[in-house]
Amino acid sequence: MSYYSEHAKVWVSVDVIIFGFDEGKLKVLIGRRQMDPGRGEWSLYGGFVGASESIDDCAERTLCELTGLKDLYMQQVGAFGAVDRDPGERVISIAYYALINVNHYDERLRKEHNAEWVDIDALPTLYSDHNDMVRMSLRRMRQKMRTQPIGFRLLPELFTLTQLQKLYEAVGGQEIDKRNFRKRIKEMDFIEKTEFIDKKSSKRGAALYTFNKIMYNDNFKL
Amino acid sequence: MSYYSEHAKVWVSVDVIIFGFDEGKLKVLIGRRQMDPGRGEWSLYGGFVGASESIDDCAERTLCELTGLKDLYMQQVGAFGAVDRDPGERVISIAYYALINVNHYDERLRKEHNAEWVDIDALPTLYSDHNDMVRMSLRRMRQKMRTQPIGFRLLPELFTLTQLQKLYEAVGGQEIDKRNFRKRIKEMDFIEKTEFIDKKSSKRGAALYTFNKIMYNDNFKL
DNA sequence: TCAAAAGTGTTAGATTTACACCCATGA
DNA sequence: TCATGGGTGTAAATCTAACACTTTTGA
């Protein structure tokens, strides 16, 4: 039985834009493409959608194959479907972005896949239309970040307000006034000051904060 | 030659959410599905992506087949890819929304396709995951409308400020203060008052305005 | 003792919201 | 003449942006 047999089938893949935050910079995880065509070119990670796999599952699987991590924050960006976007065959690809805490990403695994964290402002030319995908993901992620507290996914469990501010600056692409920023954060009751002090970043020490997800879900989620 | 032959291919279709504005209400164009499975169910219009057709082209083609119109405002919403979303076969579908001026849509053509304009607030249950697609399109369209003057695509060339306000109210789902609205519009120099007067809607007559696309593109586009 | 990051409030300006009456006209 | 939709301005409240100094402590 085949209702649609007169129509053409195509390959569908998923490409993931993996954002990380390290050394005060927003980074993207890219690697050298391991297959033809385009072998050796800088590229996003991706995978083909299996016959009995949802596209969301495919994105999660791809992400997990690369990082070993599950339950990451992930959002679909959209489908890229120019006929000749892939130099080999006609492939429609669906882009997803994910946010990871770089410290959760096993270095061994990273090296194994030849993956590299690259500064978002210093991205090389990527395979196919992957630069477009990154651009679009960044735009979406920025937008989301303005209205929802997703940034925590890029930070350690405990973080200082300076770290948080640097993150927002890196994502937004512009500096933020320290006092105004802290004022805004203080109003978000789901960002809680902990008893811990970070002594790494300064002599004086900075209070460590944490994101209370339960509080957020109960009291602030739309 | 086939680089990816070990991977499965799938059907990919496009579904279009066609928004119109009539009688002060935001409407969606839907029809009775003409093929199995699901024949006779309320459904969006869609079409399969051809082997040598980009997804954007497919969306335009689908839209044109139904309405006879080209160069409409259209935006991709995203890919829907649950394995069993289509009751017949595994089909991944990419949703696009389009904005049309209902007066440009030939009634004859509408009837020929058994298409109906349905109030966005009174949508029946649609085929497959089409209700999700509409919901998501509406969300996106709302968001876009807040920041870009796309609403004009839903109105006649010449429109009154009351019409424009009603449109924004219908899309946003809430009433707007008349004076504040007009103040805001007055600041948008690309909305120009014409010499024409609409006498249909009131005894006194209302000034007709138009959207100056060139002015907008030159002076306001980001 | 000093360099380096942490921490802290106030004020001016800009934006947003609320609100009510007169006007012109066709029926 | 009156019912109907068209058209207009001001003031309060809220939000946003600008701005500079003191604290702590390890080197």
Side-chain angles (χ1 to χ4, degrees):
Chain A
M1 90 147 173
S2 176
Y3 288 108
Y4 311 131
S5 49
E6 82 240 49
H7 299 288
K9 286 178 149 189
V10 298
W11 282 293
V12 176
S13 69
V14 155
D15 288 299
V16 288
I17 293 87
I18 303 172
F19 289 114
F21 182 67
D22 201 19
E23 297 165 345
K25 299 275 193 168
L26 186 63
K27 314 250 171 169
V28 182
L29 196 64
I30 57 176
R32 295 287 185 178
R33 193 169 152 90
Q34 320 260 5
M35 60 160 113
D36 285 313
R39 188 185 295 271
E41 289 181 41
W42 284 114
S43 165
L44 294 170
Y45 277 82
F48 284 89
V49 176
S52 50
E53 174 185 58
S54 78
I55 57 176
D56 290 356
D57 287 348
C58 177
E60 274 178 42
R61 174 175 60 78
T62 303
L63 191 56
C64 186
E65 278 172 16
L66 181 66
T67 64
L69 302 170
K70 288 191 195 245
D71 298 321
L72 297 172
Y73 183 81
M74 192 144 70
Q75 290 280 300
Q76 191 196 117
V77 175
F80 290 72
V83 175
D84 58 357
R85 54 172 292 285
D86 188 282
E89 303 274 354
R90 205 282 161 94
V91 181
I92 291 171
S93 188
I94 301 164
Y96 284 76
Y97 73 82
L99 305 181
I100 86 171
N101 172 343
V102 294
N103 303 316
H104 289 171
Y105 184 22
D106 184 13
E107 269 294 294
R108 193 185 48 74
L109 213 53
R110 185 181 70 70
K111 293 217 167 94
E112 209 169 275
H113 286 95
N114 275 300
E116 300 275 354
W117 286 111
V118 176
D119 195 308
I120 190 81
D121 296 319
L123 214 58
T125 299
L126 303 175
Y127 176 75
S128 181
D129 52 5
H130 289 187
N131 288 89
D132 294 332
M133 291 180 175
V134 173
R135 237 191 316 277
M136 201 149 159
S137 299
L138 181 59
R139 195 143 37 94
R140 285 289 182 84
M141 199 260 277
R142 249 179 207 157
Q143 181 55 38
K144 201 74 165 187
M145 203 134 167
R146 240 172 250 144
T147 58
Q148 279 175 47
I150 60 171
F152 307 99
R153 303 298 201 126
L154 292 164
L155 292 175
E157 196 68 22
L158 296 174
F159 50 86
T160 68
L161 291 183
T162 302
Q163 273 180 292
L164 187 62
Q165 182 177 345
K166 289 270 171 286
L167 168 62
Y168 274 85
E169 287 175 342
V171 173
Q174 58 181 340
E175 298 201 343
I176 302 171
D177 179 88
K178 182 162 62 156
R179 279 178 290 186
N180 292 338
F181 180 76
R182 284 168 185 240
K183 206 187 308 167
R184 230 165 58 225
I185 298 297
K186 212 161 274 166
E187 277 158 17
M188 303 180 192
D189 293 337
F190 49 84
I191 302 181
E192 297 176 339
K193 193 174 187 167
T194 67
E195 58 185 310
F196 304 107
I197 305 290
D198 172 81
K199 299 289 284 183
K200 281 190 293 290
S201 63
S202 78
K203 294 164 182 170
R204 177 175 172 178
L208 284 163
Y209 287 73
T210 192
F211 172 64
N212 186 330
K213 195 172 174 176
I214 293 161
M215 160 92 80
Y216 174 71
N217 287 335
D218 289 357
N219 302 118
F220 297 91
K221 212 166 179 179
L222 347 169
Chain B
M1 89 145 172
S2 176
Y3 289 107
Y4 311 130
S5 49
E6 82 242 49
H7 299 288
K9 284 178 149 188
V10 297
W11 281 294
V12 177
S13 68
V14 155
D15 289 299
V16 288
I17 293 87
I18 304 173
F19 290 113
F21 182 67
D22 201 20
E23 298 164 345
K25 298 275 193 168
L26 186 63
K27 314 250 172 171
V28 183
L29 196 64
I30 57 176
R32 294 287 184 177
R33 192 169 153 91
Q34 318 261 9
M35 60 160 112
D36 285 313
R39 189 184 294 271
E41 289 180 41
W42 286 113
S43 165
L44 295 170
Y45 278 83
F48 284 89
V49 176
S52 51
E53 174 185 56
S54 78
I55 57 175
D56 290 355
D57 288 347
C58 176
E60 275 178 41
R61 175 175 61 78
T62 303
L63 190 56
C64 186
E65 279 173 14
L66 181 65
T67 65
L69 302 170
K70 287 190 195 246
D71 298 321
L72 297 172
Y73 182 83
M74 193 144 70
Q75 290 280 300
Q76 192 196 118
V77 174
F80 290 72
V83 175
D84 58 356
R85 54 172 293 285
D86 188 282
E89 302 274 355
R90 205 282 159 92
V91 181
I92 291 171
S93 189
I94 302 164
Y96 283 76
Y97 73 82
L99 306 182
I100 86 170
N101 173 344
V102 293
N103 303 316
H104 289 171
Y105 184 23
D106 184 14
E107 269 295 295
R108 192 186 48 73
L109 213 54
R110 186 181 68 73
K111 294 218 167 95
E112 208 170 273
H113 286 94
N114 275 300
E116 301 274 356
W117 286 111
V118 175
D119 195 309
I120 190 80
D121 296 320
L123 215 58
T125 299
L126 303 175
Y127 176 76
S128 180
D129 51 6
H130 289 188
N131 288 90
D132 294 333
M133 291 180 175
V134 173
R135 235 190 318 276
M136 201 148 158
S137 300
L138 181 59
R139 195 142 37 92
R140 286 286 182 84
M141 199 259 277
R142 248 179 208 157
Q143 181 54 39
K144 201 74 164 186
M145 204 136 168
R146 240 171 250 144
T147 57
Q148 279 174 48
I150 60 171
F152 307 99
R153 302 298 201 127
L154 292 164
L155 292 175
E157 196 67 23
L158 296 173
F159 50 86
T160 68
L161 292 183
T162 301
Q163 272 180 292
L164 187 62
Q165 183 178 343
K166 289 271 173 284
L167 167 63
Y168 274 85
E169 288 176 342
V171 172
Q174 58 182 341
E175 297 200 342
I176 303 172
D177 178 88
K178 183 162 64 159
R179 278 178 290 188
N180 292 338
F181 180 77
R182 285 169 184 238
K183 206 187 309 166
R184 229 164 61 225
I185 297 297
K186 212 161 275 166
E187 277 158 16
M188 302 181 192
D189 293 336
F190 50 83
I191 301 181
E192 297 177 339
K193 193 173 188 167
T194 68
E195 57 185 312
F196 305 107
I197 305 289
D198 172 80
K199 300 288 285 183
K200 282 191 292 288
S201 64
S202 77
K203 296 165 182 173
R204 175 175 175 177
L208 284 163
Y209 287 73
T210 192
F211 172 64
N212 186 330
K213 195 171 174 176
I214 294 161
M215 160 92 80
Y216 174 72
N217 286 336
D218 288 359
N219 303 117
F220 297 91
K221 212 165 178 180
L222 348 167

